[in-house]
Amino acid sequence: MYMKTRFKRRKIPLLAGTILITGVLFGQGTRVDINFDVKHSVGGISEFEREKFITMHGNFTSRDWDGNNFTDNLVGHFLEGYNAWFGRDTGGITWFANQVDEDPERPGQIDLDNLKARGAQVRSEYAAKTSIHPHAERNLGLILAGQYYPFWPGSKTKPYDGETPWAFKDGFATGEYMGQYINEFHGNGGAPAPTIVEVMNEPMWHFVTHPSDFTSTPLEIAQFHNDVADGIRAVVNSDVLIGGYTTAFPDFEKQDFKRWEERWKLFMDEAGEKMDFWSIHLYDFPTFGGKALYRKGSNMEATFDMMEHYSVLSLGVAKPFVISEYGAQRHDYFNEFWSPFKDWLFLKSVSAMMMTFMERPHLMLKTIPFIVEKAEWGRNPDNGVPHSTRLLRQGKEAAGETGEEWVYTDMILFFELWKNVQGTRVDSHPSDPDMQVDAFVDGKKAYVAINNLNFVPEAISLNTFGAEDNTLENVEIKHLHLVGNTPVIDVRELNEAPESVEIGAEATMILEYTFSDEITIDQTSDEVKYYAEEYYKPIVSSKTEVFHINGVTTGDQGEAMLRLGIGRDHGSSLRPTVTVNDTEVSVPSDWKGYDQKTRDRFFGVIEIPVPYELLQNDNTVAVTFDDDGGHIGSVAMQVFGFSRTISRTKAPDEVTAVDNRSHHLPVLRVYPNPSNGSINIDLPQVRSVSQLSIYSVDGQAVLERSINSQERQSIRIDSLSSGIYSILWNTRDKVLKQKLVIR
């Protein structure tokens, strides 16, 4: 029997303080701190705006919601059941552009009377379809996007009613049509008017990168956007935001950043003044000729930072974004029929990308995963393979199922996972950049979302603060991960807060905490990103590049993160020497996501923690690489101002005696030794006698060893059976504690 959503609800008791993992676990994994009482605002926005993020690529007026469905009210079941929103429409505006008559008195422009008549008919049909009217508010913020035909000047319309084809004479004529289409097909008894217009869908791809019928230049595309914007604004009766250029693949680093110079930089220079927003599409390629190429993580961060940075420098403001398509392209599966695994290849990118967008809520107008309705228009006529990213499929498409009835694909799991999340964003902090974390508070509820960018399961140590006096009633954990070849959501219900959990490879987990009383949020964390006065500098060996980040406001306490966008060939150093106000800061060897070795070159943001006390009103950042090649694409300082002191949970190797805080010994490393099948503990070299003790969960010492040697040592622990243990290592100036789980 078909399950409307494929997820398992299991009540599994978890022992508080344990980490669930198979094999040997050392340390505490990634530490995640949540401060429920600290509101986190970015650009003045602290609420989770579901209408921006929990969306699909569709329209509530689409006929795809009609037909032989598993429920009589499919559109309502989806929108209300999953608290979801629309969307984007590229069909209607293009369809009627092909049908509207040419004005005989104005060659190359629309016959306005003919358009008005067609619009009146559409409004009348909408008025009669009263069953969908309750869902109109879910369409607010709708994006209209034009296709390249027939809107590109010189291309012909393709009327289906026997009329003579004709062509828009220029961009202004195209804009006039778009503005009048908004006027005549919306309001006055019709559907609500859209608020966002993308001038054209992926023009650079069709006219520059892979031209077919028409060849154009980036400059001509920028000028076309200006002309269309003028045409729309000359006639439209409602407030709409206009933008572009709707990039298919924003590969700024290609050809040593010539792609940036010749396309996006040029577009901002030529059309930036008339654009209300920047529009891009972002896709992972998890199966591309047997390789996996990902944008999620540091590559997306660098893409956004470079656009934000140059927008500020050239236009005085970081203009907002519309992400009208995102997700994953599954090239190696294009000619295969639907399967749960194909959906997983898409699903594992969606939350990862969305949580990057959520880091910039003040700059996101709309973000839409490319999940469409039934999309029979996308079925391959040669082999019958349906469109790959559908919300709906027929029952017979799944193994063991039959029937023509339309049911949900596994794409619904994204909406199931996130359906309850809402409220005020509060402070969250992971110790590992590969863990994306967000937290929200809504009355008595708190939600913690964790996404794993790694390709292996990871242990998470959860540390929650700010609600100690509030009684916790229960915690529900939803875990979207892959089991075999099928994505599932496991649901666990707990009576107490887990101290540790395990998250699957490329998986997403949402913990929903329920307290007895409303959670008090009476502290603040205000985040501001400051951009350097310089950007985009070539990397020359041993040459110090200096960047000035001025006008920084600081308070009594806070945190700071220097964001260094880098594009370099593989094999080049990604750890320059960096000073902030003449003080060297430590550059991490890790960043969000993978090493990008499958991409042509590395393009990503390295996030460098900066001691808050180093910041001044005007700051100097110096960056020096010891090898040649590539560019520093962007430099920015992320500054968090706290209303109270926030302490971050430290790793065991950071726990030191009160008067010896400058001494930091490496964490003990526990690992299986494949050469002899043993399990070993590595001890770093020390200059004093030390004592290693391992205790079972009931406090009994199961192994004790005194170490006198100054050499590194390895201790075998094969004698330990499965269970949970505590490791205690005493040295002259440090007591180091770790948890060990053997399963």
Side-chain angles (χ1 to χ4, degrees), residues 26-37:
F26 59 91
Q28 293 182 319
T30 297
R31 303 178 307 284
V32 170
D33 292 344
I34 308 295
N35 286 278
F36 291 133
D37 62 331

Side-chain angles (χ1 to χ4, degrees), residues 268-443:
M268 287 185 173
D269 290 340
E270 297 294 330
E273 291 286 353
K274 293 187 178 181
M275 296 296 102
D276 295 311
F277 60 85
W278 316 124
S279 176
I280 61 175
H281 292 167
L282 294 162
Y283 286 103
D284 283 338
F285 293 172
T287 57
F288 186 73
K291 295 194 302 182
L293 288 73
Y294 293 97
R295 292 187 185 276
K296 61 181 180 180
S298 65
N299 182 272
M300 282 177 54
E301 296 287 348
T303 299
F304 283 124
D305 272 19
M306 196 162 188
M307 294 180 72
E308 293 166 24
H309 196 164
Y310 190 64
S311 180
V312 168
L313 293 181
S314 61
L315 299 166
V317 63
K319 290 198 173 185
F321 294 91
V322 166
I323 316 298
S324 54
E325 294 181 22
Y326 75 91
Q329 300 276 7
R330 294 142 301 165
H331 300 79
D332 296 347
Y333 290 81
F334 275 171
N335 290 316
E336 294 194 14
F337 286 88
W338 177 84
S339 71
F341 185 69
K342 282 183 70 173
D343 281 359
W344 167 250
L345 292 174
F346 189 95
L347 284 168
K348 68 179 185 173
S349 293
V350 176
S351 289
M353 291 187 171
M354 185 181 76
M355 291 183 74
T356 295
F357 308 149
M358 289 162 59
E359 293 298 302
R360 301 161 169 83
H362 62 307
L363 294 180
M364 294 293 151
L365 293 177
K366 198 82 169 181
T367 68
I368 305 174
F370 193 61
I371 301 172
V372 293
E373 299 123 340
K374 296 173 181 174
E376 285 298 274
W377 47 265
R379 189 177 292 273
N380 188 316
D382 298 324
N383 57 21
V385 172
H387 194 286
S388 290
T389 52
R390 300 167 299 159
L391 182 70
L392 299 153
R393 63 171 174 86
Q394 290 179 287
K396 63 184 180 183
E397 295 182 52
E401 296 181 23
T402 59
E404 305 293 322
E405 186 179 68
W406 288 90
V407 297
Y408 290 128
T409 65
D410 283 355
M411 295 296 184
I412 198 64
L413 296 180
F414 166 71
F415 300 98
E416 169 64 34
L417 180 70
W418 287 89
K419 72 177 182 181
N420 293 339
V421 179
Q422 58 188 11
T424 300
R425 188 178 181 187
V426 295
D427 175 76
S428 61
H429 184 273
S431 63
D432 184 342
D434 292 319
M435 294 299 134
Q436 297 172 289
V437 181
D438 258 316
F440 301 90
V441 166
D442 183 45

Side-chain angles (χ1 to χ4, degrees), residues 8 42 85 91 135 179 212 224 249 340 351 372 429 462 497 531 579 638 641 667 708 723:
K8 302 173 183 178
V42 187
W85 298 71
H135 310 306
S212 53
F224 174 75
F249 306 110
S351 289
V372 293
H429 184 273
L462 294 166
Y531 305 89
T579 64
Q638 221 170 345
V667 67
N708 296 307

Side-chain angles (χ1 to χ4, degrees), residues 684-688 707-713:
Q685 176 180 339
V686 295
R687 289 193 169 94
S688 62
I707 299 100
N708 296 307
S709 172
Q710 295 185 17
E711 302 295 325
R712 298 181 66 91
Q713 292 194 33

